[in-house]
Amino acid sequence: ARLADAGQRIAILRAANFSLGVAVLTRLLREAAATLPDWDVEIVEAHHGRKPDAPSGTALALGQAAAAARNTTLEAAAVYSREGRPGERVEGSIGFAVVRGGDIVGEHTAMLIGQGERLELVHRASDRSIFARGALHAAHWLVGRAPGQWQLDDVITALR
């Protein structure tokens, strides 16, 4: 509520992940999920062994993008674990798989799976400085913008 209030006076940009590559991945996933509405969507993410949240905020943001592209919500479509859930995959669900280990900075794979073919969209971060570079790029882009709530998608649109 405080951020929404501040957005009435200044330009604000919030993101689950400030990597410009992840922003492009999100856009591509949104487009693919809308274009291939009958294909299954699965999101696999991997991070270092000390990461406490699972799935990651970035994985959830990817799931939200896919869900929105299919006119549903992540709350309605997400399957976070299949253990103990016998039976076929629920049509329209968005599955999540989590890997934790070693020093993985962050890897996200969005799979769209059809009959006889699979599309994989992948982003791998090998250096945490990409998040700072993306945040600085976004901050520079925000200078002089009108008050409101902006997205990293707005920033990558301007890169063209």
Side-chain angles (χ1 to χ4, degrees), residues 42-129:
E42 295 286 318
I43 297 169
V44 180
E45 59 100 340
H47 286 87
H48 55 86
R50 297 168 313 285
K51 185 165 183 60
D53 59 325
S56 68
T58 300
L60 293 172
L62 290 169
Q64 289 169 341
R70 293 184 168 181
N71 299 312
T72 189
T73 65
L74 190 57
E75 291 75 21
V79 175
Y80 297 107
S81 174
R82 290 198 171 87
E83 182 179 343
R85 292 182 176 203
E88 295 182 4
R89 183 182 202 282
V90 175
E91 186 175 329
S93 63
I94 298 172
F96 289 86
V98 174
V99 175
R100 294 287 179 266
D103 64 352
I104 301 169
V105 173
E107 297 182 5
H108 296 86
T109 302
M111 293 189 284
L112 291 99
I113 307 163
Q115 296 301 310
E117 58 185 321
R118 178 174 70 223
L119 174 64
E120 294 184 11
L121 303 169
V122 180
H123 178 269
R124 291 184 182 94
S126 57
D127 181 349
R128 285 183 175 79
S129 69

Side-chain angles (χ1 to χ4, degrees), residues 4 16 20 45-46 57 60 66 69 97 116 129 132 137 143 147 151-152 158:
L20 297 179
E45 59 100 340
L60 293 172
S129 69
H137 190 91
V143 173
Q151 306 294 321
L152 206 49

